[in-house]
Amino acid sequence: MSNSYEVAVYYFPQWHADVKNEASKGKGWTEWPSLRSAKPRFPGHEQPKTPLWGEIDEADPRVSEMQIDAAADHGITSFLYDWYWDMGGGEGPFLQRALEEGYLQAGNRDRLRFALMWANHNEVSRERFDAMTDYIIRSYFGCEQYLTIDGKLYFSIYECMTLVKGLGGIEETAAALADFRRKTEAAGYAGLHLNLVEWGLNPRHADIIGSDANALIARLGIDSVTSYVWLHHLEPESFPDADYTGWAEEATAMWDGLQAQFASVPYYPNVTMGWDPSPRCDPDQPYVRGAYPYTPIAADNTPEAFEDALRKAKSYVDRTGLKPPMLTIYAWNEWTEGGYLEPDTTHGMAYLEAIRSVFKS
């Protein structure tokens, strides 16, 4: 890999059939029909989006090989797989086939690293947490392509507040994470690099996680913080459309403040390619502002505007001396949320080319 920056892109794996989804939504269900049936919500709204590669099955290793080549050729260094446990109506992993049957079976997987971003929208008990970490250590940590930072295996947690609530409190969570570290080291690995997504540290969750984020980070043994999407810490006032350039200017200006907020560990900046969850709304109902998915939609998020945000991220990483020089990007394939780098029929490979222009040496 010729890129000296860690360009880590979130990967949303609901574009393949999963038995848990099929049990409630029908044989072969994926999110492709939701994308296909999307419609414009305001003048100039680009919907439906049409993928240039078609409605691909990401559990096919040949599809993964195509994705890996496209990502690596354009300066992406790792996929952060949104990973689920005890969701979808049963126990165990959920939506894991994209990783286990796709990426891990791809003949070119050595071109791209991967790690897990545990999308823990659900509470888990200590017993189920221990079962999950056993599965992760057994199934993924031995892979040569697993992303490490200073030799330690990167594992990101989406909702810290949900983790703490499910495990019964901060002290219980500290004990569970410490045991995860112990088991990882006992399996012969150098250790864990535990990352939190800042959404789970939002002050609105203070009744669960406390009012001092740095004290919590220290108690849980967290190694870094990053973001998933700009909307989590900055929701535009305008509706239904919000100018992407203005949104980007405000969001990128917050990075120094976010680093100051989580002063005890590195904060890895996030660049959001776009935001449009309208395909997840009823197309026959009005698009009225409210709870997710009825949020503002990023307008005019052109490849050029995205590239400008990427350049600001590179400048921030360079200016602050961030180690490792890492950023996260939303997202590889969140098509039904409007955040995708995969080529569409309007822009082709232009969003990937923006990454290559900024980061590929």
Side-chain angles (χ1 to χ4, degrees):
M1 300 179 186
S2 59
N3 191 350
S4 60
Y5 295 83
E6 188 65 49
V7 182
V9 176
Y10 293 112
Y11 187 112
F12 176 66
Q14 195 152 243
W15 311 101
H16 67 281
D18 184 281
V19 293
K20 294 178 182 178
N21 274 333
E22 289 181 323
S24 59
K25 299 176 181 178
K27 184 69 174 176
W29 185 90
T30 69
E31 286 214 30
W32 289 123
S34 298
L35 182 70
R36 202 186 314 137
S37 62
K39 67 180 185 181
R41 298 296 187 147
F42 52 84
H45 185 200
E46 295 182 7
Q47 284 292 357
K49 308 287 189 180
T50 305
L52 186 64
W53 291 340
E55 296 183 0
I56 55 179
D57 179 354
E58 60 195 350
D60 182 339
R62 293 169 298 180
V63 169
S64 285
E65 288 169 0
M66 177 177 65
Q67 293 175 322
I68 289 167
D69 278 340
D73 286 348
H74 290 87
I76 294 169
T77 57
S78 57
F79 280 159
L80 302 180
Y81 278 85
D82 295 357
W83 193 83
Y84 305 84
W85 180 259
D86 285 1
M87 289 188 67
E91 292 187 343
F94 174 52
L95 301 178
Q96 79 280 10
R97 292 182 60 226
L99 174 56
E100 295 184 3
E101 298 178 26
Y103 172 90
L104 289 178
Q105 306 308 316
N108 61 346
R109 64 185 180 276
D110 61 339
R111 297 197 67 201
L112 202 70
R113 294 181 285 267
F114 82 98
L116 304 185
M117 195 287 294
W118 179 26
N120 61 325
H121 302 283
N122 57 318
E123 297 174 27
V124 298
S125 66
R126 175 61 190 268
E127 178 184 9
R128 296 305 301 158
F129 178 87
D130 288 345
M132 180 191 76
T133 54
D134 287 342
Y135 183 94
I136 290 168
I137 293 168
R138 180 175 67 250
S139 302
Y140 307 123
F141 281 0
C143 300
E144 291 182 6
Q145 295 77 29
Y146 200 97
L147 173 64
T148 62
I149 293 179
D150 294 331
K152 297 182 178 180
L153 297 148
Y154 182 95
F155 182 78
S156 183
I157 301 171
Y158 182 65
E159 293 190 354
C160 181
M161 73 288 191
T162 303
L163 178 66
V164 171
K165 190 173 181 181
L167 291 175
I170 293 173
E171 292 305 312
E172 292 82 356
T173 303
L177 292 175
D179 197 51
F180 186 14
R181 287 185 187 275
R182 181 193 60 76
K183 290 192 296 185
T184 298
E185 293 168 6
Y189 306 111
L192 282 175
H193 179 106
L194 288 175
N195 171 273
L196 292 182
V197 174
E198 52 85 20
W199 160 244
L201 296 170
N202 193 288
R204 74 186 72 179
H205 310 307
D207 59 325
I208 300 172
I209 63 173
S211 59
D212 187 339
N214 283 301
L216 178 71
I217 286 169
R219 184 66 192 94
L220 300 185
I222 301 304
D223 299 285
S224 65
V225 176
T226 190
S227 299
Y228 189 74
V229 65
W230 288 341
L231 186 86
H232 282 165
H233 52 259
L234 181 64
E235 181 169 328
E237 294 183 5
S238 58
F239 184 90
D241 54 325
D243 175 61
Y244 177 85
T245 299
W247 196 353
E249 287 178 357
E250 290 188 65
T252 57
M254 294 179 69
W255 290 335
D256 282 317
L258 287 166
Q259 179 59 82
Q261 182 180 348
F262 310 115
S264 57
V265 296
Y267 170 78
Y268 301 131
N270 171 266
V271 176
T272 294
M273 168 270 173
W275 179 258
D276 182 0
S278 65
R280 293 184 177 173
C281 302
D282 187 337
D284 298 321
Q285 295 297 318
Y287 194 74
V288 180
R289 189 170 199 155
Y292 174 90
Y294 293 89
T295 70
I297 293 167
D300 296 321
N301 59 315
T302 64
E304 294 76 17
F306 174 59
E307 181 174 334
D308 182 67
L310 291 171
R311 291 195 182 281
K312 289 178 179 177
K314 182 176 182 293
S315 176
Y316 174 84
V317 169
D318 291 345
R319 172 174 59 82
T320 59
L322 190 62
K323 300 295 182 185
M326 177 172 172
L327 69 150
T328 60
I329 297 178
Y330 172 88
W332 178 256
N333 57 348
E334 279 268 21
W335 287 91
T336 45
E337 277 190 346
Y340 60 91
L341 299 173
E342 287 184 327
D344 66 13
T345 54
T346 300
H347 300 287
M349 305 287 279
Y351 291 102
L352 288 170
E353 290 165 357
I355 296 174
R356 181 171 62 189
S357 177
V358 176
F359 290 104
K360 183 84 168 171
S361 58

